[in-house]
Amino acid sequence: MNAALTRLGAPYAWAATGPDAFDCSGPAVWSLNPAGWTLPHSSQAPASGGQPAPLDQIRHGDVISLF
């Protein structure tokens, strides 16, 4: 979360992964990387990975995909 908060206000740019500009999935890809997490650079790919979790078990930093 701290990494993501440092980039508030960064502009949108198609296919950008930061740190100066981001596309729709760029902030998640960029901010999770320092924590040792690798996330596909796609707005749809993260939804097919990971594990489903009940809403009462989600935590700060979880990537949430809605359909």
Side-chain angles (χ1 to χ4, degrees), residues 8-64:
L8 284 177
Y12 175 87
W14 185 81
T17 58
D20 298 319
F22 296 98
D23 63 7
C24 59
S25 59
V29 172
W30 183 83
S31 61
L32 290 173
N33 195 303
W37 290 68
T38 302
L39 193 65
H41 185 208
S42 161
S43 60
Q44 297 174 358
S48 63
Q51 296 178 312
L55 290 178
D56 64 349
Q57 293 181 16
I58 61 174
R59 301 175 304 183
H60 290 287
D62 285 349
V63 175
I64 309 297

